[in-house]
């Protein structure tokens, strides 16, 4: 066997080892869900995120025993990529294997070799190699009738725990479809059910995902299953609204755990149900965040190639820790850690990196934006106006490189390395990318009264839901929260994030007028005078009033301490990614 074939096989074995371990850990979700072991569910969810980098490093160590990686042999790597591509001809996880190859190569060699000759800047795959039909099973009510068919659907899932009353649950499902999606109320011989074979596990729920195909069209749906530890399983709701489904698969939630032989097949099926979700977002949603980064980067390249607009400073109040810019027609922002922080930030770069990683591995409860982290990302300098370029040179010079016509940002939160552009490039060494939202403080400036009331209710609810996940945002200024197009409020600035249980919530001491500020008292680093919440959050008395009118308890240190105590006692609150009004128990 030629050396190129040996190396190609070695890298593919490294990927196969990673995928086997990753899926093995994912499969534990079934048992933890059945046992209502939520702490273990959270543990494996966080643990999966670090698996990839460990396996890549292991593969590199094995590769270095076979070749001299200190010297780049272009002829050899051209042959390795060709042999590796051949090995993927009928591989069920080919797209993930391509990304694994890229990760190995890019950690070994200089970015000047990061082009399509040596890595998969462009995928060689044009469609899933495993038919999408392999990932779902079809059921036909014409054979056995509607209710027995729905019962068969749930029987195919080995959830390792019994239902409390499946017959009643099925009747609720039928009623929900009649109410929410009357267009699919067809006769038995005029419909079929297509159901993804594996449940989607996340937090305290399992989700069944499928569609009804009828003469009236296609109706997607999601069915959440919850666990009453003392009694068994019950179906909680039916979601048929496309907006609700996108929220369930949203960018501010933990990744699903789903066993799949063909991730591309699952993504293709989901994309048919939610066409507004990109492949990158869907790969992220089902836990393949490295593949999500690859898909995102390709989307980014295609976008830049198809438009002429320049990059610009992102809207909002400039922060003391991050420099943020965006592209006007691309729905993301690019965040880079500043070289120097403002005087109000008594910590350094390492702390910021750790806190962003904390959120990455934590349950985001639908209230904290996911970040995509990239290193050595290249941008065409020609797309940066002089004023923006000068601004970046002043604030993040330590994260910039200029490589001929390239601007390189050393650490950016995307990952897939270098663009192939004509002309000079700016390379950013480390960068975070987040979904672009309207900063809450800017949204409030021109919003009608009804929307102001709504988003301040959302703001307070976001704080409460982060509390339930043991997260204290630290800096609760409105500028650090964004408003989505569906008017959900999401937190996105993590440089002061800490665990809620690490904080010391104190009442403001009473005084006769001289000692009016906490600065006059002994204050430890973790002390929080929560009664000053509305003072620091906004100077607008009407906005303060809207917040306290809807969430008065947020201004009480006792309330925050109560939430801490619940977490320490293991009492957790269910955060449902769908409206309370849709829950069967509520109705």
């Amino acid at each position: 066997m030629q050396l190129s074939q040996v190396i190609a096989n070695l890298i593919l074995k490294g990927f196969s080892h990673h995928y086997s371990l990753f899926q093995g850990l994912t499969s534990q979700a079934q048992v933890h869900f059945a046992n209502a072991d939520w702490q273990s569910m959270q543990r494996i969810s966080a643990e999966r995120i670090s698996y990839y980098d460990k396996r890549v490093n292991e593969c590199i160590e094995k590769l270095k025993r076979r070749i001299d990686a200190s010297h780049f042999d272009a002829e050899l790597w051209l042959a390795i990529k060709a042999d590796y591509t051949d090995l993927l001809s009928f591989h069920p996880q080919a797209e993930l294997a391509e990304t694994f190859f890229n990760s190995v190569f890019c950690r070994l060699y200089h970015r000047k070799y990061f082009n399509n000759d040596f890595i998969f800047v462009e995928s060689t795959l044009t469609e899933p190699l495993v038919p999408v039909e392999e990932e779902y099973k079809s059921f036909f009510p014409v054979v056995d009738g509607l209710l027995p068919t729905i019962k068969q659907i749930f029987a195919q899932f080995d959830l390792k725990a019994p239902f409390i009353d499946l017959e009643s649950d099925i009747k609720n499902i039928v009623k929900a479809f009649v109410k929410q999606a009357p267009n699919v109320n067809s006769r038995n011989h005029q419909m079929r059910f297509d159901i993804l074979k594996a449940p989607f596990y996340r937090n305290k729920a399992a989700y069944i995902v499928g569609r009804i195909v009828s003469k009236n069209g296609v109706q997607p749906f999601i069915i959440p299953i919850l666990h009453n530890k003392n009694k068994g399983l019950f179906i909680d709701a039916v979601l048929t609204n496309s907006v609700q489904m996108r929220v369930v698969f949203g960018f501010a939630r933990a990744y699903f755990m789903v066993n799949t032989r063909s991730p591309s097949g699952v993504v293709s099926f989901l994309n048919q149900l939610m066409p507004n979700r990109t492949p990158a977002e869907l790969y992220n949603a089902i836990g393949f965040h490295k593949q999500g980064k690859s898909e995102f980067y390709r989307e980014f390249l295609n976008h830049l190639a198809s438009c002429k607009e320049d990059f610009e400073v992102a809207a909002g109040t400039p922060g003391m820790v991050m420099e943020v810019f965006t592209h006007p027609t691309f729905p993301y922002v690019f965040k880079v850690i500043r070289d120097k922080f403002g005087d109000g930030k008594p910590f350094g770069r390492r702390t910021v990196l750790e806190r962003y990683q904390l959120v990455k591995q934590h349950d985001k409860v639908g209230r904290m934006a996911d970040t995509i982290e990239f290193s050595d990302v290249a941008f065409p300098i020609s797309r940066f106006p002089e004023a923006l370029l000068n601004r970046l040179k002043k604030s993040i010079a330590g994260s910039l490189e200029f490589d001929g016509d390239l601007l390189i940002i050393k650490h950016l939160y995307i990952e897939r390395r270098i663009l192939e552009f004509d002309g000079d490039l700016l390379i950013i060494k480390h960068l975070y990318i987040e979904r672009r939202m309207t900063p809450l403080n800017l949204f409030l400036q021109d919003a009608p009264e009804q929307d102001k009331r709504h988003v301040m209710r959302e703001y307070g609810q976001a704080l409460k839901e982060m509390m339930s996940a043991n997260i204290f945002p630290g800096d609760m200024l409105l500028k650090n929260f964004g408003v989505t197009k569906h008017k959900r409020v999401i937190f996105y600035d993590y440089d002061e994030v800490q665990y809620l249980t690490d904080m010391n919530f104190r009442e403001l001491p009473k005084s006769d007028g001289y000692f009016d500020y906490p600065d006059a008292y002994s204050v430890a680093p973790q002390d929080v005078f929560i009664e000053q919440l509305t003072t620091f959050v906004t100077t607008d008395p009407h906005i303060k009033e809207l917040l306290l009118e809807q969430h008065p308890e947020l201004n009480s240190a006792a309330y925050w301490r109560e939430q801490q105590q619940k977490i320490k006692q293991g009492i957790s609150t269910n955060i449902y990614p769908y409206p309370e009004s849709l829950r069967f128990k509520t109705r």
Side-chain angles (χ1 to χ4, degrees):
M1 185 180 292
Q2 295 182 353
L3 180 59
S4 62
Q5 294 173 315
V6 171
I7 300 303
N9 276 283
L10 186 154
I11 296 174
L12 187 58
K13 287 181 180 177
F15 165 73
S16 298
H17 181 53
H18 156 69
Y19 194 78
S20 175
L21 292 177
F22 184 88
Q23 290 296 90
L25 191 61
T26 299
S27 66
Q28 294 180 27
Q30 180 187 47
V31 176
H32 297 322
F33 175 74
N35 294 331
D37 185 354
W38 311 129
Q39 287 188 338
S40 294
M41 189 75 90
Q42 292 177 0
R43 174 183 57 78
I44 63 172
S45 179
E47 192 175 334
R48 290 196 319 166
I49 294 174
S50 63
Y51 261 39
Y52 185 89
D53 289 328
K54 291 178 181 178
R55 303 292 87 78
V56 169
N57 290 334
E58 288 175 1
C59 184
I60 288 173
E61 290 304 311
K62 293 178 181 178
L63 189 149
K64 286 180 176 178
R65 299 183 197 129
R66 306 304 297 255
I67 62 173
D68 179 10
S70 63
H71 167 70
F72 181 71
D73 186 335
E75 184 176 347
L76 174 61
W77 278 99
L78 286 171
I80 292 171
K81 186 189 175 190
D83 290 331
Y84 194 83
T85 301
D86 184 58
L87 290 173
L88 300 185
S89 298
F90 289 94
H91 197 290
Q93 301 101 35
E95 79 282 15
L96 274 64
E98 287 182 345
T99 292
F100 190 87
F101 181 97
N102 290 349
S103 297
V104 170
F105 183 94
C106 292
R107 293 188 192 184
L108 283 171
Y109 298 109
H110 190 270
R111 60 177 170 267
K112 67 183 178 181
Y113 303 116
F114 299 173
N115 58 64
N116 210 49
D117 290 337
F118 303 113
I119 63 173
F120 299 93
V121 174
E122 298 175 2
S123 176
T124 60
L125 311 171
T126 57
E127 59 185 27
L129 296 178
V130 176
V132 176
E133 290 76 13
E134 286 293 312
E135 289 296 324
Y136 69 83
K137 184 175 181 181
S138 295
F139 297 82
F140 302 90
V142 68
V143 177
D144 296 310
L146 182 60
L147 297 184
T149 299
I150 296 177
K151 193 170 184 178
Q152 290 172 21
I153 289 173
F154 288 99
Q156 78 159 335
F157 299 108
D158 184 11
L159 297 171
K160 304 293 185 184
F163 280 90
I164 299 171
D165 188 352
L166 184 57
E167 299 288 343
S168 294
D169 287 343
I170 290 174
K171 291 177 182 178
N172 283 330
I173 290 173
V174 174
K175 291 178 184 177
F177 271 113
V178 170
K179 182 177 180 180
Q180 296 180 39
N183 288 338
V184 299
N185 189 21
S186 303
R187 299 167 70 181
N188 290 350
H189 68 281
Q190 295 177 324
M191 69 168 75
R192 78 166 189 265
F193 292 89
D194 296 335
I195 311 293
L196 285 172
K197 294 179 180 178
F200 288 58
Y201 293 99
R202 185 175 66 194
N203 297 335
K204 296 182 177 182
Y207 297 84
I208 306 304
V209 180
R211 65 191 178 196
I212 297 176
V213 180
S214 72
K215 288 189 174 183
N216 294 323
V218 176
Q219 175 60 60
F221 63 85
I222 297 175
I223 298 176
I225 302 172
L226 303 186
H227 197 307
N228 183 319
K229 188 173 183 179
N230 298 320
K231 297 181 180 179
L233 307 180
F234 62 94
I235 294 169
D236 195 48
V238 170
L239 311 178
T240 59
N241 181 281
S242 61
V243 172
Q244 294 162 357
M245 294 179 67
R246 291 199 298 273
V247 169
V248 171
F249 279 83
F251 64 90
R253 306 215 173 256
Y255 304 137
F256 283 110
M257 290 175 281
V258 53
N259 270 298
T260 170
R261 182 164 168 262
S262 171
S264 63
V266 172
V267 166
S268 180
F269 185 89
L270 292 173
N271 204 207
Q272 293 172 26
L273 305 188
M274 295 173 283
N276 291 331
R277 282 277 175 258
T278 67
E281 291 170 327
L282 292 173
Y283 274 109
N284 281 336
I286 62 174
F288 298 103
H289 65 282
K290 292 293 183 180
Q291 187 61 31
K293 290 168 70 170
S294 293
E295 298 294 339
F296 175 90
Y297 198 69
R298 289 169 183 147
E299 292 167 10
F300 178 55
L301 290 179
N302 291 335
H303 177 79
L304 286 185
S306 64
C307 68
K308 297 181 180 180
E309 293 85 0
D310 290 339
F311 289 94
E312 62 186 20
V313 176
T317 306
M320 291 187 285
V321 172
M322 291 286 189
E323 183 67 70
V324 186
F325 63 94
T326 188
H327 192 273
T329 56
F330 194 60
Y332 292 85
V333 295
F334 304 86
K335 303 173 67 171
V336 188
I337 300 175
R338 292 178 180 272
D339 294 341
K340 295 181 180 179
F341 302 165
D343 293 337
K345 303 291 182 179
F347 49 80
R349 181 185 183 88
R350 178 182 293 275
T351 299
V352 176
L353 295 173
E354 290 173 350
R355 288 174 176 173
Y356 269 76
Q357 188 62 21
L358 182 157
V359 173
K360 186 73 175 178
Q361 296 181 337
H362 204 79
D363 177 14
K364 293 183 279 294
V365 293
R367 294 297 184 176
M368 293 181 281
D370 193 20
T371 56
I372 313 174
E373 181 179 1
F374 280 86
S375 299
D376 291 341
V377 181
F379 297 85
I381 291 179
S382 62
R383 305 292 280 274
F384 284 77
E386 184 177 356
L388 175 57
L389 199 56
N390 289 336
R391 176 179 175 135
L392 298 182
K393 288 177 180 178
K394 289 180 181 179
S395 61
I396 58 169
S399 292
L400 301 181
E401 282 185 26
F402 296 87
D403 184 358
D405 292 341
L406 298 182
L407 167 62
I408 301 175
I409 302 184
K410 300 176 184 177
H411 199 176
L412 177 103
Y413 275 50
I414 334 178
E415 196 179 46
R416 180 81 185 218
R417 273 71 177 183
I418 211 161
L419 313 177
E420 293 185 274
F421 285 115
D422 294 330
D424 291 344
L425 292 180
L426 164 70
I427 299 177
I428 300 182
K429 300 174 186 177
H430 189 187
L431 175 87
Y432 294 95
I433 295 176
E434 291 177 355
R435 171 69 72 165
R436 186 169 63 223
M437 294 172 274
T438 303
L440 178 53
N441 61 320
L442 297 187
F443 182 91
L444 286 165
Q445 288 178 4
D446 302 313
E449 181 64 20
Q450 183 179 355
D451 285 351
K452 287 181 180 179
R453 176 174 295 277
H454 171 78
V455 296
M456 290 314 295
R457 181 169 63 250
E458 275 280 299
Y459 170 81
Q461 193 60 34
L463 292 179
K464 291 178 178 178
E465 291 175 7
M466 285 190 283
M467 270 189 232
S468 71
N470 196 20
I471 289 291
F472 178 65
D475 191 343
M476 292 182 282
L477 293 176
L478 301 184
K479 72 182 182 70
N480 297 325
F481 292 76
V483 182
T484 71
K485 63 180 179 180
H486 300 302
K487 297 179 184 175
R488 281 181 59 81
V489 171
I490 307 292
F491 182 54
Y492 54 62
D493 195 334
Y494 305 142
D495 55 80
E496 293 196 26
V497 160
Q498 297 184 68
Y499 290 115
L500 186 77
T501 48
D502 289 342
M503 311 310 294
N504 180 26
F505 295 100
R506 298 176 56 184
E507 284 84 4
L508 280 172
K510 306 300 180 186
S511 74
D512 295 327
Y514 181 75
F515 295 111
D516 284 336
Y517 300 98
D519 291 348
Y521 299 90
S522 175
V523 180
Q526 305 301 93
D527 284 353
V528 179
F529 294 92
I530 206 65
E531 291 168 83
Q532 293 189 318
L533 170 65
T534 56
T535 301
F536 290 120
V537 162
T538 177
T539 58
D540 186 329
H542 180 54
I543 300 303
K544 292 180 184 179
E545 180 184 349
L546 289 177
L547 174 61
L548 292 181
E549 178 186 315
Q550 300 177 95
H551 299 284
E553 59 276 14
L554 289 177
N555 211 38
S556 165
Y559 174 77
W560 291 74
R561 290 195 296 266
E562 181 183 342
Q563 306 315 304
Q564 287 179 311
Q565 196 60 31
K566 286 181 179 179
I567 293 169
K568 291 175 181 178
Q569 293 173 353
I571 302 172
S572 57
T573 304
N574 283 334
I575 306 297
Y576 303 104
Y578 43 88
E580 186 77 12
S581 60
L582 293 181
R583 300 188 62 215
F584 293 156
K585 281 198 167 187
T586 302
R587 295 213 302 261

